[in-house]
């Protein structure tokens, strides 16, 4: 029988209520290095997430020429991945609750590998779009499972830093994809030119995804299952072993707490676990959706997807604009490292507030400069204000990369209780991909009216996000997952 530290039996023993005996393993000191390695393996899903979404950048023009695709059809082929992301995220939570976190990682790796092969050997723009959608399923699943798994296997005092590895992996994946695209084009001279075995360079860009996809799948087989999932399946001996190796503390007590928070889960699976009184969902789920939407609605992906518009408006030529895009991706990596250093010290909520205010100011400057700049031949000419816009755009990336980029993923992984985490994260991540799709597809139309209008819209959402954080976001620093309500 499990006793409290004072030697008295607990008033209510969840293990006895469930009919399962908790293995007595007591206190333990886990290895931080081992925990970092395991969470880094899970974060490889984030690397593939970033790599898959960015690798097409260097191939878009060549793909359009190869298949004689209209701008509308080509745009659909690119956007198909985002549609797949939303679908993959939507269903990943249910799959993770039913079959485990590790199996979903393996499914995501398979989707990435199949997408790489299919896109690399595509024979039309339509089947390319299909294979990109398959890859999107993997991205969506990875965007759910990585933060959930990392939160569930990390000790509370390290959870913020380890959770930030997801965003670090994403931005590193983006950088590596851009670097691979650049290296392949440097080797052949053009994305349309043949490279190895007579295949066009753009095909090798897609095929390059196969290497990290296989590595992710193989490494996922080497890490343990989430202790929260193991407890839900009443595999308490395995859960105790994982907790002892990676989380530590009073493992007996931790298992009891996990079981307590999982009460009512049987017979109440799927989306039933997150239904509530606020427009059909629990309030905390809406907070997660809000965080996801605001992360995208401040326009970060416009900076990455359409940055050449900004830099060429400032006066840079196309080649230099592409070089600045790579520099921007490096900036995003460096600022994410700053977030890793600060998130468990300063806390999640203060970082989000700092980021929201900083993004509001930077976007406001861009909106004003573009809105007041004279338009010559359809392009705003910033003149002497160009360097100011350049600084404002890069500072915006700094504020995002050090706050909203990683911190939202940390919060989504830890803010939900054990009973609803996977499902709630699925809905929030799906909302994020829908928001990404909306922002990415509406920017050309908004910018055709005026870049001032486009950045004005993003400024508005940055302003609203300040009050959203103040009103609805609660601090989770240092709290155990079993304390989440």
């Amino acid at each position: 029988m499990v006793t409290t530290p004072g030697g008295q039996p607990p008033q209510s023993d969840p293990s006895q209520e469930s009919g399962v005996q908790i293995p007595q393993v007591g206190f333990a000191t886990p290895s931080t290095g081992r925990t970092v390695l395991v969470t880094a393996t899970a974060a490889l899903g984030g690397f593939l997430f970033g790599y898959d979404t960015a690798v097409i950048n260097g191939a878009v023009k060549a793909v359009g020429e190869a298949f004689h695709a209209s701008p509308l059809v080509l745009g659909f082929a690119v956007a198909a991945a985002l549609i797949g992301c939303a679908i993959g995220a939507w269903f990943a939570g249910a799959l993770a609750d039913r079959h485990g976190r590790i199996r979903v990682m393996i499914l995501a790796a398979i989707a990435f590998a199949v997408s790489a092969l299919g896109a690399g050997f595509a024979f039309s723009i339509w089947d390319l779009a299909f294979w990109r959608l398959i890859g999107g399923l993997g991205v969506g699943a990875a965007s759910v499972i990585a933060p959930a798994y990392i939160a569930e296997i990390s000790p509370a005092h390290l959870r913020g830093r380890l959770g930030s590895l997801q965003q670090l992996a994403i931005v590193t994946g983006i950088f590596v994809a851009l670097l691979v695209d650049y290296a392949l084009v440097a080797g052949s001279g053009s994305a349309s030119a043949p490279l190895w075995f007579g295949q066009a360079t753009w095909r090798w860009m897609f095929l390059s995804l196969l290497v990290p996809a296989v590595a992710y799948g193989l490494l996922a087989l080497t890490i343990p299952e989430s202790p929260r999932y193991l407890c839900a399946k009443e595999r308490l001996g395995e859960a105790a072993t994982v907790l002892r190796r990676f989380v530590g503390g009073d493992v007996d007590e931790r298992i009891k707490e996990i079981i307590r928070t999982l009460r009512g889960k049987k017979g109440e699976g799927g989306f039933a676990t997150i239904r509530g009184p606020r427009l059909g969902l629990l309030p905390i789920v809406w907070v997660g959706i809000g965080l996801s939407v605001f992360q995208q609605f401040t326009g970060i992906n416009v900076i990455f997807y359409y940055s050449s518009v900004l830099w060429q408006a400032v006066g840079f030529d196309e080649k230099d604009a592409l070089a600045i895009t790579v520099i921007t991706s490096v900036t995003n990596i460096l600022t994410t490292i700053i977030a890793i250093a600060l998130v468990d010290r300063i806390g999640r909520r203060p970082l989000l507030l700092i980021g929201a205010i900083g993004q509001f100011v930077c976007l406001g400057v861009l909106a004003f400069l573009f809105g007041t700049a004279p338009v010559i031949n359809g392009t705003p000419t910033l003149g002497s204000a160009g360097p100011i816009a350049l600084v404002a755009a890069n500072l915006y990336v700094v504020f995002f990369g050090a706050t909203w980029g990683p911190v939202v993923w940390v919060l989504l992984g830890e803010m939900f209780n054990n009973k609803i985490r996977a499902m709630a994260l699925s809905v929030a991540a799906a909302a994020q991909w829908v928001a990404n799709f909306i922002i990415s597809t509406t920017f050309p139309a908004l910018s055709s009216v005026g870049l001032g209008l486009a950045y004005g819209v993003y400024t508005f959402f940055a302003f609203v996000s300040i009050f959203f954080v103040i009103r609805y976001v609660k601090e989770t620093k240092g709290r155990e997952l079993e304390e989440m309500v």
Side-chain angles (χ1 to χ4, degrees):
M1 180 177 180
V2 180
T3 61
T4 63
Q8 297 298 319
Q11 292 182 347
S12 176
D13 190 338
S15 69
Q16 294 179 358
E17 293 176 16
S18 64
V20 179
Q21 181 65 39
I22 295 177
Q24 297 191 22
V25 294
F27 292 86
T29 302
S31 165
T32 299
R34 187 190 302 127
T35 304
V36 170
L37 286 175
V38 167
T39 53
T41 298
L44 275 176
F47 178 89
L48 281 157
F49 168 165
Y51 196 105
D52 185 82
T53 54
V55 75
I56 196 171
N57 286 350
V60 170
K61 183 178 179 181
V63 166
E65 293 172 351
F67 297 128
H68 307 290
S70 68
L72 180 63
V73 173
L74 183 62
F76 173 78
V78 174
L82 293 177
I83 298 171
C85 291
I87 297 171
W90 185 263
F91 290 104
L95 288 172
D97 277 343
R98 182 174 300 177
H99 301 292
R101 280 54 168 153
I102 302 302
R103 288 181 179 175
V104 173
M105 291 183 195
I106 294 169
L107 287 174
I110 292 172
F112 285 126
V114 169
S115 173
L117 290 170
F121 295 107
F123 54 83
S124 74
I125 191 67
W126 296 108
D127 78 298
L128 176 67
F130 173 77
W131 297 120
R132 292 289 296 162
L133 187 146
I134 296 297
L137 295 177
V139 172
S143 70
V144 169
I145 208 61
Y149 178 87
I150 292 171
E152 291 177 344
I153 205 165
S154 302
H157 69 284
L158 293 175
R159 197 173 59 235
R161 278 168 280 183
L162 295 177
S164 298
L165 291 177
Q166 163 80 346
Q167 179 68 11
L168 180 62
I170 292 170
V171 295
T172 303
I174 292 171
F175 170 71
V176 172
L178 293 173
L179 204 60
V180 168
D181 284 356
Y182 178 83
L184 290 173
V185 169
S188 67
S190 166
S192 299
L195 194 55
W196 301 302
F197 305 107
Q199 297 297 315
T201 301
W202 65 265
R203 293 186 181 275
W204 288 105
M205 291 178 181
F206 291 123
L207 288 170
S208 67
L209 178 64
L210 190 62
V211 175
V214 171
Y216 178 45
L218 293 176
L219 288 172
L221 294 171
T222 69
I223 61 177
E225 185 53 85
S226 158
R228 273 75 183 183
Y229 169 78
L230 292 172
C231 285
K233 297 300 180 181
E234 299 183 350
R235 294 158 58 182
L236 302 190
E238 295 173 66
T241 299
V242 175
L243 288 168
R244 184 170 64 250
R245 295 186 67 200
F246 300 100
V247 180
D250 188 341
V251 174
D252 294 346
E253 189 64 30
R254 179 61 53 221
I255 289 179
K256 286 166 52 183
E257 284 297 302
I258 293 172
I259 293 174
R260 178 185 61 78
T261 59
L262 290 170
R263 284 174 177 167
K265 194 176 181 68
K266 289 184 178 180
E268 193 187 53
F271 289 97
T273 58
I274 61 173
R275 288 178 185 153
R278 300 282 182 88
L279 299 176
L281 295 174
L282 294 170
I284 190 66
V285 178
W286 282 114
V287 175
I289 291 172
L291 285 169
S292 289
V293 170
F294 280 119
Q295 188 198 54
Q296 296 299 314
F297 273 16
T298 55
I300 185 61
N301 281 314
V302 166
I303 294 293
F304 289 109
Y305 295 166
Y306 300 101
S307 58
S308 61
V309 174
L310 171 61
W311 307 135
Q312 289 179 60
V314 173
F316 293 98
D317 60 26
E318 183 178 1
K319 180 180 178 181
D320 289 339
L322 291 173
I324 293 173
T325 299
V326 174
I327 293 171
T328 300
S329 69
V330 175
T331 301
N332 211 3
I333 293 173
L334 296 176
T335 54
T336 303
I337 294 173
I338 294 173
I340 291 173
L342 297 178
V343 67
D344 282 323
R345 296 181 182 180
I346 295 179
R348 288 63 158 150
R349 193 167 180 267
L351 281 177
L352 287 180
L353 279 174
I354 292 170
I357 294 169
Q359 289 179 103
F360 167 66
V361 172
C362 294
L363 288 167
V365 170
L366 289 170
F368 174 78
L369 292 178
F370 279 112
T372 57
V375 179
I376 301 176
N377 296 324
T379 302
T381 304
L382 297 177
S384 60
I388 300 175
L390 189 65
V391 171
N394 276 293
L395 277 178
Y396 165 68
V397 172
V398 169
F399 277 112
F400 177 87
T403 61
W404 278 79
V407 174
V408 166
W409 288 115
V410 171
L411 278 169
L412 291 180
E414 68 185 10
M415 65 189 286
F416 307 116
N417 66 48
N418 288 326
K419 187 166 68 173
I420 70 169
R421 181 172 300 110
M423 291 307 309
L425 224 169
S426 278
V427 172
Q432 186 171 134
W433 287 112
V434 171
N436 186 336
F437 179 80
I438 292 171
I439 290 297
S440 301
T441 55
T442 57
F443 177 75
L446 288 173
S447 62
S448 67
V449 177
L451 282 172
L453 171 64
Y455 283 101
V457 170
Y458 310 142
T459 302
F460 169 76
F461 284 112
F463 180 72
V464 175
S465 72
I466 298 171
F467 299 96
F468 176 82
V469 173
I470 293 172
R471 175 67 179 84
Y472 295 108
V473 177
K474 308 299 181 186
E475 184 56 68
T476 55
K477 182 184 76 169
R479 295 174 60 192
E480 296 291 348
L481 296 182
E482 287 65 49
E483 298 176 38
M484 307 302 173
V485 296

